[in-house]
Every structure is written in structure tokens, then in C-alpha cells.
Amino acid sequence: MRMRFTALAAAALAAATVLSGCGGSSGTDAGSGGDGGSGKPFKVIAFTSGNQTPIGAWWVKQVQADAKANGWDLTMIQGDFDFQKMNPQVESAIGQGADAIFDGYTDVASISSIVTAAKDSDIPIFAVDAGTEANDAFALNVTSNQQGIADQTVQEISKQLGGLQGKNVMVIGHDPHPGIRMRASLAEAELKKAGANIAGGSIQKVKSPATGRTEALALVSDYLTANPGGLDAVWVGWDDAALGAAQGVSESGSKAIVTGCDASSEAIAAIQSGTSPLVATVEQPWPSVNKTVEDAILAYQKDGTKPSETFDAVDTTLVTKDNAASITPSDKLGS
Amino acid sequence: MTATPTRNPGIEDTSAGVLAVPRRSLGQRALSGGTVLALVALVLFFFAMRPDVFLTFTNVRNILYQVSILAIIAVAQTVVMVVGDFDLSVAATSSLSGSVAGALLTAGQSVTVAVLAAVAVGLAIGLVNGLLVAYLNLSAFVATLASMTSIVGAAYLVTQGTTLFNFPAGFTQLGQGRLLNIPMPVYLAVLIALVAWAVLRFTTIGRSWYAIGGNVEVARLSGISVRRSRLLAFTVAGLVAGIGGILLAARLGSSSAVQGSDNLMFSVAAVFLGMTVIRSGAANLGGTVIGVAIIGVMSNGLNILGVNSYVQQVVTGIIIIAAVTLSSLKTRSR
């Protein structure tokens, strides 16, 4: 019995030795250089909850490639929109020590326990699109300018309709997404200010991004059935739902126009076709945003310098039929 | 040996044998008729609120179009629930089938190949679910929860996490085409529901499913091959869910890994609502159709009245609770 126990303990010790020799968790992509001033590779914990979205998947690959080039010791944690799973993994990685944390597309509201753990360990968090307003959780958070998105799309609707006074515009949003919530609210305010009537009296809310297209389709179809000819335009906070709204407009025989946001392949193709009610979307410059944040991490790695501003909202590009051909779709980044 | 039960819980209300059932009290009758009355009340309410719109041809067609794919998924769920089981993977199966069709179409395959492959995917998933439940004796809840997880992952792999689109017109016509100004999915939903109803009502396998759902041991002692019948029920559910997924992809002109994910909750709700329609409280096709109609009428009516979608969700949940409570009261009173 004692022999067997000893053998078991020896095997466990050997396994532990082998595992510790592997140098980290299964999510670790060991870099080949960089020293952060101490001879050890600069250790970065990157995480995203949105890895199952096209942009999130692109970001994971891009950061992994850049980490290799920068010589970072990268631990990439992919959350699948499951914060109960992701947050403890990130906190556990923080407990093992790191030089910097890199948040991709995960809103600050969902990671308060990570922010606390990072502050306790004095590790700065650098972020891409992790909140629509400045806050002290991040050393830097760069996102797209929501006011700019609202301005560009509302102005395009105004241009195509020859003004907004008295026009009926439906606004479709999705509250759980901070960016969509903010730009929908800004667009609603702008439309009202310009004299447009908000169809249904307020922002129409889609409950789930997974069913955004069918929900938007039903919202528009039902509204147009109840109010034939009752829409001049539909402003939608993201392309997938905008495509559903456009289908609802087409099937109802309405002449209303639709705008979206994201510059997805499908939206760009619809705009280029010239036959879809979808007339415009917005490109958010994620590659340059990501590069800005990575440059900030590199500066911090070099001499501990943190950015002077903790928040930046960068300009976006309105995509219409005129420039659609020159835009890289958001779901084709890196391909 | 194949046995035909003489007292079939799912169809006794409409059979001649109903005469043998003790007379029901007014309260029991109200319970049985409650769901149908709820549908009538909803229609009358929305008609009263918007008489110029609600019962117009355009809006009725609109409702039928919106619920047609849910109706197909609910048929799949009904078949499994008749056997006394549960399939959490129907919506995921439909998404994967739609994604497979979309991936093959964007890869240049013909519509026929894409549709057949997508149907085969649904069939295969149903078969696996059936094997897990009927032959490996896993709980249907656990087995289909696990398979749902894998199926969603597979759908992400097939679509690469993106939305597939740009399908040929021959495919999108399945979901967007019209015959006599009625969208094709409506005809297909009616056809599938009728076939399923006939199978459940008139065939040996349909009666076997009801017998198993009523009492597995009695069904087994009656000579019914319980395992084979449950396997077949899950396989049929997978097949039908796959067809629903193909139609959803055709209807939207796109497919993604999570498309139509709300069909799981609504299909279960429709079957539960339908279970309150007949005296036995068993899953049944006619009841499911009424359940789907309630969901469709409610969603459309509330949209027309401009009710906030969050409130709509609250109301839907309350109606499901009410239906399950009715069903439970009925089961206790039997």
C-alpha cells in the first residue's frame, strides 16, 4: 500500500514538474523576445468575450500574430460571451503575474472583478472598444466615435430624403451593447432635433443580437402593415439588424431607406447592389485602433510610460454606394 | 409484435372512445378550452384595438409568414414531446442545417446538393440524439443539451463565425417566393404539420409514440419497441428541424451560427400551450398549431400596438407559465 502511495506521489510530482516546465496555461503563446527591462519576456494577458464574432475572431488572430512579432509572452483568453467563465480565468492569470492586460471588445461594465484584480496587482489594462466613455479602469481605451457615427448616418438619411422635417424614421437599437445603445440614443436625439417623427414614439429595441435580423424584420413589417407608407427611413444600430429591416421594407413594398453600422460584407454588397433599401453603413477602423493600443503597450513595455489620455474615440467612415468598393468589410479583416 | 393502444392519451379526445371518459365539470371544460379561448380573446382584442389593420389579408399573411418556420420547429419538438422526451437541440440543429446549406451554396454547390446535405445533417443529428437517449439511456435533457452545445460549435466552424449570404435565387425562392400571394414557407409549414398530424393520428408508429409518452412500461409490455420508437422520434425531429433551418436561411437570404436561436424557447412554449388544449394534457399537433398561433398573434399584435419588446417578452413568459400551470392542473385532475 505504501509502495503504491509513494509511486502515485512520484508520478504526481513528475507530472507537476513537466507541466510547470511547459511555462503556462494552455492558452499561452510564448513569445521569442522582448525583455521589459528584466530579461524576462514581457507578459501580456489578452482577453475578449467577443471571439465568436467576426471582428473578435480577427482581433484574436491579430493580437497573437503581433505578440509573436513583439516578443510578448501572451496568454489569450477567449470568453465566448460567458463572463462567468472568462472573468475567473483572467483573474487567475493576473494572480500568476503579468506586465500588461489587453482587453478586446469587452465592455468595462462586464469586467469589474478583472479591473479590481488588475488594480490590486498594479497591472495596467489597455483596451480596444471597451466602453463608450472615459473611466479610470483603463490605462487606455480606444473606441470609435459614437457621436460621429450618429452624425454621419443621420446626415445621410437627411441627404437622401431631402431633409428630415416631418419625416417618419424608425430607430432600432439594442440596449445591452453600450456602443449601439449610445449611438441609437444620439441618433434619436438628432432626428428629433431635425424635426423628424420617431416611428413608434421611441427607440425600438431588439432583444438579442443573435435574432436581430428576424426581430428587426418583424418590427418593420408589422409597423408598415399597421401604417402603410408610414416610414421614410429606418436607422439601425448594426448591420445584421439593418439587413432584416431592409428586407421588411422591401417585402412591404415601402420606399423607405435604411442605414446600418459595421460595414459587414453583406451590408456592403447590399449597398453596392443599388436595389436594397440599405443605403449606408459605417466603417469603424479597428485595425488602426488596435495598432494604436498595441503601440501604447509597447511604449509601456519600453520605459513604463502610460498614455497621457485614457480614452480616445476615433473617427469613422460613412460607406455608401460611392465608396463601398474601397472598404474592407469588417468580417474580412485580416483575410 | 406491434400493439395498437386502445386508449391513446394524445388522440382520445377526438376519437370515438371519448364516450368512455367520465363527464367533465365546468371547471375542467374551462381548463381544456382556456387556450383556444385565449387565442380567440387575443384576436378579438387586437382586432378591437386596430380594426383597420389586424384582420386584413396583408396582416394575416404577415402573421403566417412570421410563424411559419417556428411552426416547423415546433412540429419537431412536438414529435419528441409526444414520446415524453424533450429536445433542446432543435433550434441549434436548424441553425447548423441552414449554415451547411449556406456554406455549400457559397462554395458553388447546386441548390439540390446544398438542400440534401442540410437535410442529411438534421437527420444525422436527430439520429445521434436518438441513439444517446434510446440506446445509451441518457436523459433527453442532458443528451440534447450536450448535443446542442456541440452543434452550435459546429455551426460556428461551418460559418467561420460570419454570416453567409449571396445565395442563388433558386434557394432564396424557397423562403421568399410566393404562390397565390402567400409565401412558400407558409405552404411548407402547413404541409409538414399535416403530414406529422397524419403520422401521429393514423399510423402505428404515431400511436406507439403516444403509448410510450403515456406510460413507457405499459408500452413495452404491449410489445412496442420503445428504443426503436424513441430513436425514430428524435430522428424525425432532427429531420424536420433541419428543414426549418433551410427555410430560415432561404427566408433571410443568409445563414449564421446563431440564427433562429429563439425558436427553442418558442417551440417549447408552443407545445406546452398546445398540451392544454386537449383533455389528456399530452403533446399534440393541433394544440401546437394553436400555441404557435398564440405566439404569432401576440407578437404581431403587440408590435402593431407599439408595445415595447421587453414588455412583450415578459408577457410571453407569463403566458407560458399560465399554460404550464393549466397543463399541470389538468394532469392532477385526471
Side-chain angles (χ1 to χ4, degrees):
Chain A
M1 182 73 182
R2 180 173 292 178
M3 286 277 287
R4 285 172 66 183
F5 178 77
T6 307
L8 194 65
L13 187 63
T17 307
V18 169
L19 287 173
S20 63
C22 289
S25 69
S26 58
T28 298
D29 302 319
S32 56
D35 60 13
S38 64
K40 291 181 183 173
F42 188 74
K43 191 168 182 182
V44 176
I45 300 165
F47 67 91
T48 178
S49 62
N51 51 290
Q52 291 179 337
T53 66
I55 295 171
W58 159 80
W59 182 82
V60 168
K61 285 183 189 169
Q62 187 67 42
V63 171
Q64 285 172 331
D66 293 344
K68 197 171 181 183
N70 294 332
W72 294 344
D73 176 359
L74 177 71
T75 300
M76 174 63 76
I77 295 167
Q78 303 181 55
D80 304 328
F81 288 117
D82 183 352
F83 299 105
Q84 194 175 329
K85 177 180 84 174
M86 184 188 79
N87 292 16
Q89 285 182 344
V90 178
E91 289 155 32
S92 173
I94 291 170
Q96 292 167 39
D99 297 302
I101 300 168
F102 195 177
D103 171 359
Y105 303 99
T106 308
D107 187 60
V108 64
S110 304
I111 58 164
S112 59
S113 60
I114 293 173
V115 171
T116 303
K119 280 187 173 167
D120 289 348
S121 301
D122 198 24
I123 305 170
I125 304 178
F126 298 82
V128 168
D129 193 32
T132 53
E133 291 167 339
N135 64 67
D136 64 358
F138 303 117
L140 177 64
N141 172 32
V142 184
T143 186
S144 50
N145 184 346
Q146 302 300 325
Q147 182 66 60
I149 293 172
D151 290 347
Q152 288 171 325
T153 43
V154 170
Q155 282 165 16
E156 181 63 20
I157 291 173
S158 178
K159 184 179 142 193
Q160 296 232 6
L161 296 180
L164 289 167
Q165 184 65 43
K167 295 292 194 295
N168 299 312
V169 184
M170 179 181 278
V171 178
I172 299 179
H174 173 61
D175 283 347
H177 187 291
I180 296 173
R181 182 176 65 236
M182 187 176 197
R183 59 184 176 253
S185 175
L186 292 168
E188 182 194 29
E190 281 190 46
L191 287 162
K192 278 182 178 172
K193 194 176 171 188
N197 305 312
I198 303 300
S202 60
I203 297 171
Q204 304 299 304
K205 320 244 172 155
V206 161
K207 295 184 288 289
S208 166
T211 54
R213 190 176 302 213
T214 45
E215 284 189 58
L217 197 164
L219 278 170
V220 170
S221 299
D222 289 344
Y223 188 85
L224 285 170
T225 303
N227 306 278
L231 283 180
D232 296 299
V234 186
W235 185 99
V236 192
W238 73 111
D239 279 348
D240 192 53
L243 287 157
Q247 192 164 350
V249 167
S250 294
E251 289 177 359
S252 302
S254 166
K255 299 289 181 195
I257 59 170
V258 180
T259 64
C261 180
D262 282 343
S264 70
S265 301
E266 194 176 359
I268 290 175
I271 291 165
Q272 284 181 300
S273 75
T275 57
S276 170
L278 185 64
V279 294
T281 182
V282 174
E283 182 202 34
Q284 301 176 83
W286 298 125
S288 66
V289 167
N290 190 56
K291 184 166 187 322
T292 301
V293 177
E294 286 186 351
D295 286 347
I297 297 175
L298 286 168
Y300 177 71
Q301 175 186 1
K302 188 178 174 188
D303 53 17
T305 305
K306 289 183 186 174
S308 54
E309 299 289 335
T310 59
F311 179 76
D312 190 17
V314 300
D315 289 341
T316 54
T317 304
L318 182 75
V319 182
T320 63
K321 201 176 177 186
D322 295 337
N323 65 347
S326 64
I327 300 293
T328 303
S330 57
D331 50 340
K332 301 291 180 195
L333 292 172
S335 61
Chain B
M1 174 183 155
T2 304
T4 303
T6 52
R7 302 285 310 146
N8 189 317
I11 58 175
E12 67 181 10
D13 295 71
T14 53
S15 72
V18 77
L19 293 174
V21 178
R23 183 168 292 184
R24 292 179 291 173
S25 69
L26 197 62
Q28 286 171 321
R29 282 172 189 275
L31 279 178
S32 286
T35 309
V36 180
L37 285 176
L39 175 59
V40 173
L42 280 173
V43 171
L44 290 176
F45 172 73
F46 290 123
F47 179 63
M49 298 299 288
R50 290 300 302 266
D52 56 326
V53 172
F54 191 70
L55 288 181
T56 60
F57 170 76
T58 306
N59 195 49
V60 172
R61 182 184 63 192
N62 200 14
I63 295 172
L64 292 173
Y65 200 10
Q66 286 173 4
V67 300
S68 55
I69 290 159
L70 169 63
I72 293 170
I73 306 289
V75 166
Q77 192 67 265
T78 304
V79 171
V80 176
M81 289 178 73
V82 161
V83 191
D85 285 318
F86 203 79
D87 191 345
L88 292 174
S89 70
V90 283
T93 301
S94 74
S95 298
L96 179 58
S97 289
S99 298
V100 166
L104 289 170
L105 289 168
T106 48
Q109 294 292 332
S110 69
V111 173
T112 308
V113 169
V115 168
L116 287 177
V119 168
V121 166
L123 192 74
I125 292 169
L127 190 63
V128 169
N129 280 338
L131 288 170
L132 292 173
V133 174
Y135 286 89
L136 294 182
N137 294 322
L138 297 186
S139 131
F141 185 87
V142 173
T144 58
L145 181 67
S147 63
M148 177 186 74
T149 308
S150 296
I151 293 162
V152 171
Y156 274 113
L157 287 172
V158 168
T159 59
Q160 297 290 301
T162 65
T163 300
L164 305 172
F165 67 102
N166 208 13
F167 303 152
F171 181 74
T172 53
Q173 279 298 317
L174 289 171
Q176 298 172 20
R178 291 186 180 188
L179 181 64
L180 301 174
N181 214 10
I182 304 286
M184 292 302 291
V186 176
Y187 291 106
L188 292 165
V190 170
L191 179 68
I192 288 169
L194 280 175
V195 170
W197 173 79
V199 168
L200 288 168
R201 180 84 172 83
F202 298 115
T203 68
T204 305
I205 187 64
R207 287 165 178 265
S208 300
W209 284 340
Y210 271 120
I212 294 166
N215 190 316
V216 175
E217 280 312 308
V218 171
R220 196 189 315 277
L221 292 171
S222 303
I224 293 171
S225 173
V226 173
R227 283 183 165 177
R228 201 185 313 153
S229 298
R230 291 174 86 190
L231 173 70
L232 194 58
F234 276 97
T235 308
V236 167
L239 171 72
V240 174
I243 293 170
I246 294 164
L247 287 175
L248 182 58
R251 194 256 182 279
L252 296 178
S254 68
S255 52
S256 74
V258 289
Q259 200 158 275
S261 53
D262 56 347
N263 282 331
L264 170 61
M265 186 189 78
F266 287 128
S267 68
V268 173
V271 181
F272 273 129
L273 285 166
M275 286 164 71
T276 67
V277 171
I278 62 169
R279 289 179 65 184
S280 65
N284 65 99
L285 232 301
T288 297
V289 170
I290 290 170
V292 167
I294 286 177
I295 291 168
V297 164
M298 200 165 56
S299 171
N300 172 268
L302 292 173
N303 271 348
I304 282 176
L305 296 184
V307 175
N308 181 304
S309 63
Y310 299 162
V311 177
Q312 292 187 29
Q313 187 151 356
V314 172
V315 172
T316 305
I318 290 170
I319 286 189
I320 294 167
I321 291 168
V324 176
T325 308
L326 279 174
S327 191
S328 149
L329 286 173
K330 194 179 295 181
T331 306
R332 264 185 262 157
S333 69
R334 269 199 292 161

